[in-house]
PDB file of all heavy atoms in Angstrom:
ATOM      1  N   ASP M  17      88.715 -95.202  82.238  1.00  0.00           N
ATOM      2  CA  ASP M  17      87.346 -95.340  82.737  1.00  0.00           C
ATOM      3  C   ASP M  17      87.079 -96.811  83.053  1.00  0.00           C
ATOM      4  O   ASP M  17      87.796 -97.707  82.588  1.00  0.00           O
ATOM      5  CB  ASP M  17      86.354 -94.871  81.695  1.00  0.00           C
ATOM      6  CG  ASP M  17      86.380 -93.365  81.496  1.00  0.00           C
ATOM      7  OD1 ASP M  17      86.304 -92.648  82.530  1.00  0.00           O
ATOM      8  OD2 ASP M  17      86.525 -92.899  80.373  1.00  0.00           O
ATOM      9  N   GLY M  18      86.041 -97.035  83.818  1.00  0.00           N
ATOM     10  CA  GLY M  18      85.658 -98.390  84.133  1.00  0.00           C
ATOM     11  C   GLY M  18      84.887 -98.472  85.442  1.00  0.00           C
ATOM     12  O   GLY M  18      84.812 -97.487  86.157  1.00  0.00           O
ATOM     13  N   PRO M  19      84.306 -99.635  85.719  1.00  0.00           N
ATOM     14  CA  PRO M  19      83.480 -99.778  86.928  1.00  0.00           C
ATOM     15  C   PRO M  19      84.333 -99.784  88.203  1.00  0.00           C
ATOM     16  O   PRO M  19      85.558 -99.921  88.134  1.00  0.00           O
ATOM     17  CB  PRO M  19      82.799-101.130  86.726  1.00  0.00           C
ATOM     18  CG  PRO M  19      83.729-101.904  85.844  1.00  0.00           C
ATOM     19  CD  PRO M  19      84.369-100.890  84.947  1.00  0.00           C
ATOM     20  N   SER M  20      83.667 -99.668  89.355  1.00  0.00           N
ATOM     21  CA  SER M  20      84.415 -99.664  90.606  1.00  0.00           C
ATOM     22  C   SER M  20      85.076-101.013  90.872  1.00  0.00           C
ATOM     23  O   SER M  20      84.534-102.055  90.512  1.00  0.00           O
ATOM     24  CB  SER M  20      83.479 -99.323  91.786  1.00  0.00           C
ATOM     25  OG  SER M  20      82.305-100.079  91.692  1.00  0.00           O
ATOM     26  N   GLY M  21      86.253-100.944  91.446  1.00  0.00           N
ATOM     27  CA  GLY M  21      86.973-102.170  91.819  1.00  0.00           C
ATOM     28  C   GLY M  21      87.745-102.828  90.666  1.00  0.00           C
ATOM     29  O   GLY M  21      88.306-103.894  90.844  1.00  0.00           O
ATOM     30  N   LYS M  24      91.392 -99.288  88.765  1.00  0.00           N
ATOM     31  CA  LYS M  24      91.754 -98.041  88.108  1.00  0.00           C
ATOM     32  C   LYS M  24      92.755 -97.212  88.902  1.00  0.00           C
ATOM     33  O   LYS M  24      93.701 -96.713  88.352  1.00  0.00           O
ATOM     34  CB  LYS M  24      90.511 -97.169  87.852  1.00  0.00           C
ATOM     35  CG  LYS M  24      89.538 -97.725  86.841  1.00  0.00           C
ATOM     36  CD  LYS M  24      88.479 -96.702  86.492  1.00  0.00           C
ATOM     37  CE  LYS M  24      87.692 -96.189  87.675  1.00  0.00           C
ATOM     38  NZ  LYS M  24      86.751 -97.177  88.248  1.00  0.00           N
ATOM     39  N   SER M  25      92.499 -97.069  90.225  1.00  0.00           N
ATOM     40  CA  SER M  25      93.366 -96.193  91.030  1.00  0.00           C
ATOM     41  C   SER M  25      94.791 -96.712  91.043  1.00  0.00           C
ATOM     42  O   SER M  25      95.722 -95.921  90.934  1.00  0.00           O
ATOM     43  CB  SER M  25      92.867 -96.084  92.468  1.00  0.00           C
ATOM     44  OG  SER M  25      91.618 -95.444  92.456  1.00  0.00           O
ATOM     45  N   ASP M  41      92.123 -88.379  90.324  1.00  0.00           N
ATOM     46  CA  ASP M  41      91.101 -89.364  90.698  1.00  0.00           C
ATOM     47  C   ASP M  41      89.768 -88.637  90.774  1.00  0.00           C
ATOM     48  O   ASP M  41      89.425 -87.996  91.749  1.00  0.00           O
ATOM     49  CB  ASP M  41      91.512 -89.942  92.075  1.00  0.00           C
ATOM     50  CG  ASP M  41      90.460 -90.927  92.586  1.00  0.00           C
ATOM     51  OD1 ASP M  41      89.407 -91.088  91.957  1.00  0.00           O
ATOM     52  OD2 ASP M  41      90.748 -91.523  93.649  1.00  0.00           O
ATOM     53  N   THR M  42      89.008 -88.740  89.667  1.00  0.00           N
ATOM     54  CA  THR M  42      87.752 -87.960  89.620  1.00  0.00           C
ATOM     55  C   THR M  42      86.696 -88.539  90.548  1.00  0.00           C
ATOM     56  O   THR M  42      85.813 -87.813  91.028  1.00  0.00           O
ATOM     57  CB  THR M  42      87.203 -87.864  88.194  1.00  0.00           C
ATOM     58  OG1 THR M  42      86.822 -89.158  87.718  1.00  0.00           O
ATOM     59  CG2 THR M  42      88.211 -87.245  87.264  1.00  0.00           C
ATOM     60  N   GLY M  43      86.785 -89.831  90.850  1.00  0.00           N
ATOM     61  CA  GLY M  43      85.849 -90.428  91.817  1.00  0.00           C
ATOM     62  C   GLY M  43      86.009 -89.785  93.183  1.00  0.00           C
ATOM     63  O   GLY M  43      85.008 -89.522  93.875  1.00  0.00           O
ATOM     64  N   ALA M  44      87.260 -89.492  93.542  1.00  0.00           N
ATOM     65  CA  ALA M  44      87.518 -88.833  94.833  1.00  0.00           C
ATOM     66  C   ALA M  44      86.872 -87.448  94.864  1.00  0.00           C
ATOM     67  O   ALA M  44      86.407 -86.990  95.922  1.00  0.00           O
ATOM     68  CB  ALA M  44      89.020 -88.748  95.078  1.00  0.00           C
ATOM     69  N   MET M  45      86.855 -86.782  93.707  1.00  0.00           N
ATOM     70  CA  MET M  45      86.241 -85.444  93.635  1.00  0.00           C
ATOM     71  C   MET M  45      84.728 -85.563  93.907  1.00  0.00           C
ATOM     72  O   MET M  45      84.154 -84.751  94.647  1.00  0.00           O
ATOM     73  CB  MET M  45      86.509 -84.807  92.295  1.00  0.00           C
ATOM     74  CG  MET M  45      88.009 -84.567  92.054  1.00  0.00           C
ATOM     75  SD  MET M  45      88.401 -83.994  90.361  1.00  0.00           S
ATOM     76  CE  MET M  45      87.810 -82.316  90.416  1.00  0.00           C
ATOM     77  N   TYR M  46      84.091 -86.563  93.271  1.00  0.00           N
ATOM     78  CA  TYR M  46      82.635 -86.763  93.507  1.00  0.00           C
ATOM     79  C   TYR M  46      82.352 -87.150  94.946  1.00  0.00           C
ATOM     80  O   TYR M  46      81.404 -86.704  95.562  1.00  0.00           O
ATOM     81  CB  TYR M  46      82.073 -87.805  92.551  1.00  0.00           C
ATOM     82  CG  TYR M  46      81.904 -87.256  91.149  1.00  0.00           C
ATOM     83  CD1 TYR M  46      82.822 -87.540  90.143  1.00  0.00           C
ATOM     84  CD2 TYR M  46      80.841 -86.418  90.835  1.00  0.00           C
ATOM     85  CE1 TYR M  46      82.686 -87.024  88.882  1.00  0.00           C
ATOM     86  CE2 TYR M  46      80.691 -85.878  89.584  1.00  0.00           C
ATOM     87  CZ  TYR M  46      81.609 -86.178  88.611  1.00  0.00           C
ATOM     88  OH  TYR M  46      81.493 -85.634  87.340  1.00  0.00           O
ATOM     89  N   ARG M  47      83.250 -87.963  95.499  1.00  0.00           N
ATOM     90  CA  ARG M  47      83.094 -88.359  96.903  1.00  0.00           C
ATOM     91  C   ARG M  47      83.182 -87.143  97.826  1.00  0.00           C
ATOM     92  O   ARG M  47      82.449 -87.024  98.781  1.00  0.00           O
ATOM     93  CB  ARG M  47      84.181 -89.369  97.297  1.00  0.00           C
ATOM     94  CG  ARG M  47      83.959 -90.761  96.738  1.00  0.00           C
ATOM     95  CD  ARG M  47      85.154 -91.661  96.992  1.00  0.00           C
ATOM     96  NE  ARG M  47      84.965 -92.960  96.418  1.00  0.00           N
ATOM     97  CZ  ARG M  47      84.395 -93.990  97.051  1.00  0.00           C
ATOM     98  NH1 ARG M  47      84.010 -93.881  98.284  1.00  0.00           N
ATOM     99  NH2 ARG M  47      84.239 -95.132  96.440  1.00  0.00           N
ATOM    100  N   ILE M  97      85.884 -89.999 103.126  1.00  0.00           N
ATOM    101  CA  ILE M  97      85.082 -90.243 101.917  1.00  0.00           C
ATOM    102  C   ILE M  97      85.109 -91.702 101.474  1.00  0.00           C
ATOM    103  O   ILE M  97      84.489 -92.067 100.482  1.00  0.00           O
ATOM    104  CB  ILE M  97      85.571 -89.364 100.735  1.00  0.00           C
ATOM    105  CG1 ILE M  97      87.047 -89.643 100.400  1.00  0.00           C
ATOM    106  CG2 ILE M  97      85.337 -87.894 101.057  1.00  0.00           C
ATOM    107  CD1 ILE M  97      87.532 -88.894  99.167  1.00  0.00           C
ATOM    108  N   ARG M  98      85.837 -92.556 102.177  1.00  0.00           N
ATOM    109  CA  ARG M  98      86.022 -93.952 101.735  1.00  0.00           C
ATOM    110  C   ARG M  98      85.171 -94.959 102.481  1.00  0.00           C
ATOM    111  O   ARG M  98      85.516 -96.139 102.535  1.00  0.00           O
ATOM    112  CB  ARG M  98      87.508 -94.343 101.865  1.00  0.00           C
ATOM    113  CG  ARG M  98      88.446 -93.501 101.044  1.00  0.00           C
ATOM    114  CD  ARG M  98      88.395 -93.829  99.577  1.00  0.00           C
ATOM    115  NE  ARG M  98      89.133 -92.846  98.767  1.00  0.00           N
ATOM    116  CZ  ARG M  98      89.028 -92.721  97.484  1.00  0.00           C
ATOM    117  NH1 ARG M  98      88.241 -93.527  96.788  1.00  0.00           N
ATOM    118  NH2 ARG M  98      89.707 -91.800  96.833  1.00  0.00           N
ATOM    119  N   MET M 102      79.463 -93.536 102.233  1.00  0.00           N
ATOM    120  CA  MET M 102      79.819 -92.446 101.323  1.00  0.00           C
ATOM    121  C   MET M 102      79.859 -92.967  99.881  1.00  0.00           C
ATOM    122  O   MET M 102      79.559 -92.221  98.948  1.00  0.00           O
ATOM    123  CB  MET M 102      81.202 -91.886 101.700  1.00  0.00           C
ATOM    124  CG  MET M 102      81.097 -90.695 102.647  1.00  0.00           C
ATOM    125  SD  MET M 102      80.095 -89.364 101.960  1.00  0.00           S
ATOM    126  CE  MET M 102      79.010 -89.110 103.305  1.00  0.00           C
ATOM    127  N   SER M 103      80.214 -94.242  99.685  1.00  0.00           N
ATOM    128  CA  SER M 103      80.244 -94.794  98.324  1.00  0.00           C
ATOM    129  C   SER M 103      78.836 -94.768  97.713  1.00  0.00           C
ATOM    130  O   SER M 103      78.621 -94.309  96.596  1.00  0.00           O
ATOM    131  CB  SER M 103      80.732 -96.246  98.321  1.00  0.00           C
ATOM    132  OG  SER M 103      82.059 -96.290  98.738  1.00  0.00           O
ATOM    133  N   LEU M 104      77.856 -95.202  98.498  1.00  0.00           N
ATOM    134  CA  LEU M 104      76.487 -95.213  98.005  1.00  0.00           C
ATOM    135  C   LEU M 104      75.940 -93.815  97.786  1.00  0.00           C
ATOM    136  O   LEU M 104      75.293 -93.500  96.784  1.00  0.00           O
ATOM    137  CB  LEU M 104      75.573 -95.980  98.956  1.00  0.00           C
ATOM    138  CG  LEU M 104      75.336 -97.436  98.633  1.00  0.00           C
ATOM    139  CD1 LEU M 104      74.327 -98.044  99.593  1.00  0.00           C
ATOM    140  CD2 LEU M 104      74.861 -97.627  97.185  1.00  0.00           C
ATOM    141  N   THR M 106      77.707 -91.188  97.171  1.00  0.00           N
ATOM    142  CA  THR M 106      78.386 -90.580  96.010  1.00  0.00           C
ATOM    143  C   THR M 106      77.772 -91.040  94.703  1.00  0.00           C
ATOM    144  O   THR M 106      77.615 -90.278  93.743  1.00  0.00           O
ATOM    145  CB  THR M 106      79.896 -90.933  96.011  1.00  0.00           C
ATOM    146  OG1 THR M 106      80.450 -90.595  97.267  1.00  0.00           O
ATOM    147  CG2 THR M 106      80.630 -90.205  94.912  1.00  0.00           C
ATOM    148  N   SER M 107      77.380 -92.297  94.681  1.00  0.00           N
ATOM    149  CA  SER M 107      76.749 -92.830  93.463  1.00  0.00           C
ATOM    150  C   SER M 107      75.498 -92.009  93.159  1.00  0.00           C
ATOM    151  O   SER M 107      75.209 -91.696  92.005  1.00  0.00           O
ATOM    152  CB  SER M 107      76.442 -94.295  93.678  1.00  0.00           C
ATOM    153  OG  SER M 107      75.957 -94.873  92.505  1.00  0.00           O
ATOM    154  N   ARG M 108      74.764 -91.643  94.193  1.00  0.00           N
ATOM    155  CA  ARG M 108      73.518 -90.876  94.028  1.00  0.00           C
ATOM    156  C   ARG M 108      73.864 -89.418  93.633  1.00  0.00           C
ATOM    157  O   ARG M 108      73.301 -88.855  92.676  1.00  0.00           O
ATOM    158  CB  ARG M 108      72.779 -90.907  95.343  1.00  0.00           C
ATOM    159  CG  ARG M 108      71.406 -90.307  95.295  1.00  0.00           C
ATOM    160  CD  ARG M 108      70.602 -90.668  96.506  1.00  0.00           C
ATOM    161  NE  ARG M 108      69.439 -89.838  96.548  1.00  0.00           N
ATOM    162  CZ  ARG M 108      68.943 -89.287  97.629  1.00  0.00           C
ATOM    163  NH1 ARG M 108      69.527 -89.485  98.811  1.00  0.00           N
ATOM    164  NH2 ARG M 108      67.881 -88.510  97.573  1.00  0.00           N
ATOM    165  N   SER M 110      76.559 -88.191  92.321  1.00  0.00           N
ATOM    166  CA  SER M 110      77.265 -88.014  91.053  1.00  0.00           C
ATOM    167  C   SER M 110      76.314 -88.097  89.869  1.00  0.00           C
ATOM    168  O   SER M 110      76.718 -87.864  88.738  1.00  0.00           O
ATOM    169  CB  SER M 110      78.391 -89.041  90.919  1.00  0.00           C
ATOM    170  OG  SER M 110      77.829 -90.342  90.852  1.00  0.00           O
ATOM    171  N   ALA M 111      75.044 -88.412  90.121  1.00  0.00           N
ATOM    172  CA  ALA M 111      74.070 -88.452  89.037  1.00  0.00           C
ATOM    173  C   ALA M 111      73.375 -87.081  88.839  1.00  0.00           C
ATOM    174  O   ALA M 111      72.583 -86.914  87.944  1.00  0.00           O
ATOM    175  CB  ALA M 111      73.019 -89.539  89.296  1.00  0.00           C
ATOM    176  N   ARG M 116      77.764 -82.775  88.288  1.00  0.00           N
ATOM    177  CA  ARG M 116      78.540 -83.231  87.139  1.00  0.00           C
ATOM    178  C   ARG M 116      79.128 -82.028  86.375  1.00  0.00           C
ATOM    179  O   ARG M 116      80.257 -82.041  85.944  1.00  0.00           O
ATOM    180  CB  ARG M 116      77.712 -84.075  86.168  1.00  0.00           C
ATOM    181  CG  ARG M 116      77.263 -85.397  86.742  1.00  0.00           C
ATOM    182  CD  ARG M 116      77.249 -86.486  85.695  1.00  0.00           C
ATOM    183  NE  ARG M 116      78.578 -86.979  85.413  1.00  0.00           N
ATOM    184  CZ  ARG M 116      79.232 -87.882  86.150  1.00  0.00           C
ATOM    185  NH1 ARG M 116      78.671 -88.445  87.180  1.00  0.00           N
ATOM    186  NH2 ARG M 116      80.467 -88.247  85.814  1.00  0.00           N
ATOM    187  N   GLN M 123      87.666 -80.627  86.131  1.00  0.00           N
ATOM    188  CA  GLN M 123      88.563 -81.650  85.542  1.00  0.00           C
ATOM    189  C   GLN M 123      89.157 -81.172  84.233  1.00  0.00           C
ATOM    190  O   GLN M 123      90.331 -81.407  83.945  1.00  0.00           O
ATOM    191  CB  GLN M 123      87.778 -82.960  85.353  1.00  0.00           C
ATOM    192  CG  GLN M 123      87.470 -83.642  86.679  1.00  0.00           C
ATOM    193  CD  GLN M 123      86.229 -84.526  86.635  1.00  0.00           C
ATOM    194  OE1 GLN M 123      85.778 -84.925  85.582  1.00  0.00           O
ATOM    195  NE2 GLN M 123      85.679 -84.809  87.807  1.00  0.00           N
ATOM    196  N   GLU M 135      91.230 -90.725  85.993  1.00  0.00           N
ATOM    197  CA  GLU M 135      90.471 -91.981  86.142  1.00  0.00           C
ATOM    198  C   GLU M 135      89.047 -91.647  86.565  1.00  0.00           C
ATOM    199  O   GLU M 135      88.812 -90.756  87.369  1.00  0.00           O
ATOM    200  CB  GLU M 135      91.121 -92.887  87.183  1.00  0.00           C
ATOM    201  CG  GLU M 135      91.384 -92.171  88.481  1.00  0.00           C
ATOM    202  CD  GLU M 135      91.694 -93.112  89.629  1.00  0.00           C
ATOM    203  OE1 GLU M 135      90.897 -93.997  89.908  1.00  0.00           O
ATOM    204  OE2 GLU M 135      92.750 -92.920  90.209  1.00  0.00           O
ATOM    205  N   GLY M 136      88.104 -92.367  85.976  1.00  0.00           N
ATOM    206  CA  GLY M 136      86.700 -92.115  86.313  1.00  0.00           C
ATOM    207  C   GLY M 136      85.752 -93.007  85.562  1.00  0.00           C
ATOM    208  O   GLY M 136      86.012 -94.203  85.392  1.00  0.00           O
ATOM    209  N   ARG M 137      84.603 -92.434  85.204  1.00  0.00           N
ATOM    210  CA  ARG M 137      83.573 -93.228  84.530  1.00  0.00           C
ATOM    211  C   ARG M 137      83.269 -92.638  83.149  1.00  0.00           C
ATOM    212  O   ARG M 137      82.840 -93.353  82.261  1.00  0.00           O
ATOM    213  CB  ARG M 137      82.260 -93.210  85.330  1.00  0.00           C
ATOM    214  CG  ARG M 137      82.393 -93.738  86.736  1.00  0.00           C
ATOM    215  CD  ARG M 137      82.656 -95.230  86.751  1.00  0.00           C
ATOM    216  NE  ARG M 137      82.527 -95.785  88.101  1.00  0.00           N
ATOM    217  CZ  ARG M 137      83.343 -95.571  89.116  1.00  0.00           C
ATOM    218  NH1 ARG M 137      84.395 -94.796  88.959  1.00  0.00           N
ATOM    219  NH2 ARG M 137      83.150 -96.168  90.274  1.00  0.00           N
ATOM    220  N   ASP M 138      83.455 -91.315  83.005  1.00  0.00           N
ATOM    221  CA  ASP M 138      83.015 -90.627  81.805  1.00  0.00           C
ATOM    222  C   ASP M 138      84.123 -89.761  81.220  1.00  0.00           C
ATOM    223  O   ASP M 138      83.837 -88.787  80.521  1.00  0.00           O
ATOM    224  CB  ASP M 138      81.826 -89.714  82.175  1.00  0.00           C
ATOM    225  CG  ASP M 138      82.225 -88.634  83.192  1.00  0.00           C
ATOM    226  OD1 ASP M 138      83.198 -88.859  83.931  1.00  0.00           O
ATOM    227  OD2 ASP M 138      81.591 -87.584  83.232  1.00  0.00           O
ATOM    228  N   ILE M 139      85.382 -90.073  81.541  1.00  0.00           N
ATOM    229  CA  ILE M 139      86.477 -89.216  81.083  1.00  0.00           C
ATOM    230  C   ILE M 139      86.598 -89.283  79.566  1.00  0.00           C
ATOM    231  O   ILE M 139      86.656 -88.271  78.872  1.00  0.00           O
ATOM    232  CB  ILE M 139      87.817 -89.599  81.763  1.00  0.00           C
ATOM    233  CG1 ILE M 139      87.662 -89.630  83.283  1.00  0.00           C
ATOM    234  CG2 ILE M 139      88.911 -88.616  81.351  1.00  0.00           C
ATOM    235  CD1 ILE M 139      87.156 -88.384  83.913  1.00  0.00           C
ATOM    236  N   VAL M 143      84.140 -85.922  79.499  1.00  0.00           N
ATOM    237  CA  VAL M 143      85.039 -84.868  79.995  1.00  0.00           C
ATOM    238  C   VAL M 143      86.125 -84.542  78.971  1.00  0.00           C
ATOM    239  O   VAL M 143      86.360 -83.384  78.606  1.00  0.00           O
ATOM    240  CB  VAL M 143      85.673 -85.241  81.357  1.00  0.00           C
ATOM    241  CG1 VAL M 143      86.530 -84.116  81.892  1.00  0.00           C
ATOM    242  CG2 VAL M 143      84.582 -85.572  82.379  1.00  0.00           C
ATOM    243  N   ARG M 164      87.597-105.080  96.558  1.00  0.00           N
ATOM    244  CA  ARG M 164      87.061-104.001  97.387  1.00  0.00           C
ATOM    245  C   ARG M 164      86.965-104.469  98.820  1.00  0.00           C
ATOM    246  O   ARG M 164      87.262-103.716  99.740  1.00  0.00           O
ATOM    247  CB  ARG M 164      85.684-103.582  96.834  1.00  0.00           C
ATOM    248  CG  ARG M 164      85.098-102.347  97.457  1.00  0.00           C
ATOM    249  CD  ARG M 164      85.955-101.127  97.222  1.00  0.00           C
ATOM    250  NE  ARG M 164      85.387-100.235  96.219  1.00  0.00           N
ATOM    251  CZ  ARG M 164      86.102 -99.263  95.607  1.00  0.00           C
ATOM    252  NH1 ARG M 164      87.355 -99.086  95.860  1.00  0.00           N
ATOM    253  NH2 ARG M 164      85.530 -98.472  94.727  1.00  0.00           N
ATOM    254  N   ARG M 187      76.154-100.545  92.855  1.00  0.00           N
ATOM    255  CA  ARG M 187      76.703 -99.312  92.342  1.00  0.00           C
ATOM    256  C   ARG M 187      76.904 -99.359  90.837  1.00  0.00           C
ATOM    257  O   ARG M 187      76.663 -98.382  90.121  1.00  0.00           O
ATOM    258  CB  ARG M 187      78.050 -99.003  93.038  1.00  0.00           C
ATOM    259  CG  ARG M 187      77.855 -98.229  94.313  1.00  0.00           C
ATOM    260  CD  ARG M 187      78.978 -97.311  94.574  1.00  0.00           C
ATOM    261  NE  ARG M 187      80.204 -98.058  94.812  1.00  0.00           N
ATOM    262  CZ  ARG M 187      81.397 -97.575  94.553  1.00  0.00           C
ATOM    263  NH1 ARG M 187      81.553 -96.381  94.051  1.00  0.00           N
ATOM    264  NH2 ARG M 187      82.456 -98.288  94.844  1.00  0.00           N
ATOM    265  N   GLN M 190      73.585 -98.533  89.316  1.00  0.00           N
ATOM    266  CA  GLN M 190      73.269 -97.091  89.436  1.00  0.00           C
ATOM    267  C   GLN M 190      74.122 -96.279  88.476  1.00  0.00           C
ATOM    268  O   GLN M 190      73.629 -95.379  87.810  1.00  0.00           O
ATOM    269  CB  GLN M 190      73.597 -96.621  90.863  1.00  0.00           C
ATOM    270  CG  GLN M 190      72.443 -96.688  91.834  1.00  0.00           C
ATOM    271  CD  GLN M 190      72.770 -95.975  93.148  1.00  0.00           C
ATOM    272  OE1 GLN M 190      73.203 -94.827  93.175  1.00  0.00           O
ATOM    273  NE2 GLN M 190      72.545 -96.639  94.255  1.00  0.00           N
ATOM    274  N   ASP M 191      75.400 -96.620  88.380  1.00  0.00           N
ATOM    275  CA  ASP M 191      76.357 -95.837  87.559  1.00  0.00           C
ATOM    276  C   ASP M 191      76.098 -96.016  86.081  1.00  0.00           C
ATOM    277  O   ASP M 191      76.316 -95.104  85.275  1.00  0.00           O
ATOM    278  CB  ASP M 191      77.810 -96.220  87.877  1.00  0.00           C
ATOM    279  CG  ASP M 191      78.199 -95.821  89.287  1.00  0.00           C
ATOM    280  OD1 ASP M 191      77.482 -94.996  89.914  1.00  0.00           O
ATOM    281  OD2 ASP M 191      79.225 -96.360  89.780  1.00  0.00           O
ATOM    282  N   ARG M 194      72.149 -94.447  84.927  1.00  0.00           N
ATOM    283  CA  ARG M 194      71.715 -93.054  85.094  1.00  0.00           C
ATOM    284  C   ARG M 194      71.638 -92.342  83.750  1.00  0.00           C
ATOM    285  O   ARG M 194      72.303 -92.757  82.770  1.00  0.00           O
ATOM    286  CB  ARG M 194      72.655 -92.329  86.057  1.00  0.00           C
ATOM    287  CG  ARG M 194      74.032 -92.177  85.486  1.00  0.00           C
ATOM    288  CD  ARG M 194      74.951 -91.533  86.470  1.00  0.00           C
ATOM    289  NE  ARG M 194      76.259 -91.395  85.892  1.00  0.00           N
ATOM    290  CZ  ARG M 194      77.387 -91.410  86.579  1.00  0.00           C
ATOM    291  NH1 ARG M 194      77.374 -91.565  87.874  1.00  0.00           N
ATOM    292  NH2 ARG M 194      78.532 -91.255  85.961  1.00  0.00           N
ATOM    293  N   LEU M 196      72.557 -89.133  83.081  1.00  0.00           N
ATOM    294  CA  LEU M 196      73.683 -88.240  82.809  1.00  0.00           C
ATOM    295  C   LEU M 196      75.007 -88.995  82.829  1.00  0.00           C
ATOM    296  O   LEU M 196      75.323 -89.643  83.832  1.00  0.00           O
ATOM    297  CB  LEU M 196      73.762 -87.173  83.879  1.00  0.00           C
ATOM    298  CG  LEU M 196      72.918 -85.927  83.694  1.00  0.00           C
ATOM    299  CD1 LEU M 196      73.094 -85.019  84.901  1.00  0.00           C
ATOM    300  CD2 LEU M 196      73.327 -85.195  82.435  1.00  0.00           C
ATOM    301  N   ALA M 197      75.762 -88.900  81.767  1.00  0.00           N
ATOM    302  CA  ALA M 197      77.107 -89.504  81.742  1.00  0.00           C
ATOM    303  C   ALA M 197      77.138 -90.912  82.323  1.00  0.00           C
ATOM    304  O   ALA M 197      77.901 -91.196  83.244  1.00  0.00           O
ATOM    305  CB  ALA M 197      78.130 -88.598  82.458  1.00  0.00           C
TER     306      ALA M 197
HETATM  307  O1   DC I   1      85.780 -94.488  91.542  1.00  0.00           O
HETATM  308  P1   DC I   1      84.998 -94.304  92.842  1.00  0.00           P
HETATM  309  O2   DC I   1      84.444 -95.598  93.374  1.00  0.00           O
HETATM  310  O3   DC I   1      85.769 -93.546  93.886  1.00  0.00           O
HETATM  311  O4   DC I   1      83.744 -93.396  92.426  1.00  0.00           O
HETATM  312  C1   DC I   1      82.801 -92.976  93.358  1.00  0.00           C
HETATM  313  C2   DC I   1      81.458 -92.732  92.670  1.00  0.00           C
HETATM  314  O5   DC I   1      81.544 -91.602  91.795  1.00  0.00           O
HETATM  315  C3   DC I   1      80.952 -93.887  91.813  1.00  0.00           C
HETATM  316  O6   DC I   1      79.586 -94.195  92.195  1.00  0.00           O
HETATM  317  C4   DC I   1      80.949 -93.385  90.411  1.00  0.00           C
HETATM  318  C5   DC I   1      81.001 -91.887  90.530  1.00  0.00           C
HETATM  319  N1   DC I   1      81.879 -91.306  89.509  1.00  0.00           N
HETATM  320  C6   DC I   1      81.281 -90.712  88.414  1.00  0.00           C
HETATM  321  O7   DC I   1      80.057 -90.703  88.330  1.00  0.00           O
HETATM  322  N2   DC I   1      82.045 -90.132  87.454  1.00  0.00           N
HETATM  323  C7   DC I   1      83.401 -90.159  87.548  1.00  0.00           C
HETATM  324  N3   DC I   1      84.117 -89.583  86.587  1.00  0.00           N
HETATM  325  C8   DC I   1      84.017 -90.779  88.674  1.00  0.00           C
HETATM  326  C9   DC I   1      83.229 -91.353  89.630  1.00  0.00           C
END
Side-chain angles (χ1 to χ4, degrees):
D17 290 308
S20 46
K24 292 190 302 288
S25 295
D41 176 355
T42 65
M45 297 172 73
Y46 284 101
R47 285 172 183 271
I97 59 174
R98 299 284 170 195
M102 268 303 128
S103 295
L104 264 185
T106 307
S107 185
R108 187 166 167 222
S110 64
R116 294 216 76 83
Q123 289 153 19
E135 52 165 303
R137 303 292 191 289
D138 62 335
I139 308 303
V143 183
R164 189 63 105 197
R187 272 212 295 152
Q190 268 189 51
D191 294 343
R194 67 184 179 210
L196 275 178

